[in-house]
Amino acid sequence: MNNHMTLNEAPTGSTEPSTATPAFSPLYQQIKGLILQSLQASEWKPGESIPSEMELASRYRVSQGTVRKAIDELASDHLLIRKQGKGTFVATHAEHQVQYRFLKLVPDQGDLNTEGPAQRHIVDCKRQRASAEISRALALRAGDTVLQVRRVLSFANVATILEDLWLPGAPFKGLTAERLSGYNGPMYALFETEFGVRMVRADEKIRAVLPDKTQRELLHLPAHTPLLSVERIAYTYNDTPMELRRGFYRTDTHHYHNALN
């Protein structure tokens, strides 16, 4: 394997003037990129340990300090998890500390742990042709097949979140309402373990909206009750979009919480 050959390479001997910005990045960032390539290629799967810092330093022909800095960043990005005395592991959405990474709605009283898991009801799950809007969001061609899922999440038997999801059809072939309903863990853990799709980051847009008639009925709301609308595009490795999700949140007993570092 010649991964070390990609580090700090630069063209030499050219007399042609260049108008391009030099593609230079710190060495630890280059090591981070190589580790990401291995994660994307499933060399180390979610929940598995990765080689030690010493082994990776030998593999990439760099110092352990450089590897440690790369791993620190990947841990900060929630892609790796350090476990004291055990080593470094590929993060998985089944891990307790990762489960709530993308769920920012928390109860006004207590927290997500005291509230317990949401009760989930799949309203609809169907395959359809992607509209131009959905195609743009998921980097698909217009007319490609997508899976649309609608579900309601309830806490203490109170319908609190209505979600509409669109997933590219090919990676999620075989996903049905029955499989979604029968899985007890987080949805992203299902995507990861059964379909090999790991969500690594997301972009969100948040605004206040008034629900339409269907949304009011599914959330059992009186007319003119505002909702928090959260539109998310979730990405797997290599910035490939894998999900468009539109959530409508009640905020009479919950609030949106985001810790900014």
Side-chain angles (χ1 to χ4, degrees):
M1 185 171 184
N2 293 323
N3 283 337
H4 64 279
M5 296 298 292
T6 66
L7 305 181
N8 273 336
E9 288 185 347
T12 58
S14 173
T15 58
E16 292 295 322
S18 174
T19 58
T21 302
F24 173 80
S25 62
L27 187 56
Y28 79 90
Q29 287 282 2
Q30 297 179 53
I31 298 303
K32 178 182 177 182
L34 293 174
I35 295 174
L36 272 172
Q37 287 178 18
S38 292
L39 292 172
Q40 184 179 2
S42 296
E43 180 177 346
W44 314 303
K45 295 180 173 55
E48 293 182 352
S49 63
I50 69 169
S52 68
E53 291 178 0
M54 183 180 297
E55 290 172 312
L56 290 174
S58 175
R59 172 175 174 169
Y60 299 128
R61 301 186 183 181
V62 295
S63 70
Q64 280 186 246
T66 298
V67 170
R68 185 175 301 117
K69 193 167 184 180
I71 290 176
D72 284 343
E73 285 214 352
L74 290 165
S76 296
D77 293 339
H78 305 282
L79 299 180
L80 297 176
I81 293 179
R82 293 186 183 275
K83 296 184 179 180
Q84 189 67 33
K86 294 183 179 180
T88 303
F89 294 76
V90 182
T92 167
H93 288 287
E95 285 273 358
H96 179 74
Q97 63 264 50
V98 180
Q99 285 184 13
Y100 300 125
R101 180 182 166 207
F102 293 102
L103 178 59
K104 301 296 186 180
L105 197 71
V106 298
D108 293 336
Q109 304 296 324
D111 56 30
L112 289 168
N113 293 316
T114 58
E115 185 174 54
Q119 301 92 51
R120 293 164 293 184
H121 170 60
I122 304 298
V123 179
D124 202 4
C125 181
K126 60 187 178 183
R127 292 188 177 268
Q128 60 187 35
R129 297 295 180 186
S131 67
E133 180 185 15
I134 302 301
S135 298
R136 282 194 301 272
L138 295 177
L140 300 173
R141 294 173 298 183
D144 280 356
T145 300
V146 292
L147 182 70
Q148 181 180 4
V149 178
R150 170 170 280 187
R151 68 173 185 168
V152 174
L153 304 182
S154 301
F155 297 93
N157 297 315
V158 176
T160 305
I161 303 174
L162 170 64
E163 290 184 324
D164 289 310
L165 294 78
W166 291 266
L167 307 166
F172 293 97
K173 185 178 181 180
L175 183 59
T176 62
E178 290 74 24
R179 293 183 77 175
L180 287 169
S181 299
Y183 189 80
N184 293 324
M187 183 178 283
Y188 282 176
L190 170 69
F191 294 169
E192 178 183 274
T193 57
E194 296 197 23
F195 297 92
V197 176
R198 172 162 170 72
M199 304 301 187
V200 299
R201 73 172 189 89
D203 290 331
E204 289 187 338
K205 297 178 183 177
I206 302 174
R207 67 186 68 189
V209 299
L210 287 174
D212 60 25
K213 181 175 182 293
T214 300
Q215 293 162 353
R216 288 199 310 270
E217 291 174 350
L218 289 171
L219 291 175
H220 311 295
L221 294 173
H224 308 299
T225 302
L227 295 174
L228 190 65
S229 167
V230 180
E231 180 173 303
R232 173 195 302 166
I233 299 179
Y235 299 83
T236 187
Y237 298 112
N238 204 30
D239 277 344
T240 302
M242 278 290 173
E243 177 200 59
L244 171 63
R245 182 182 301 215
R246 290 175 179 154
F248 299 92
Y249 297 176
R250 290 179 61 161
T251 58
D252 48 348
T253 59
H254 291 69
H255 62 275
Y256 190 92
H257 177 82
N258 195 13
L260 304 176
N261 297 322

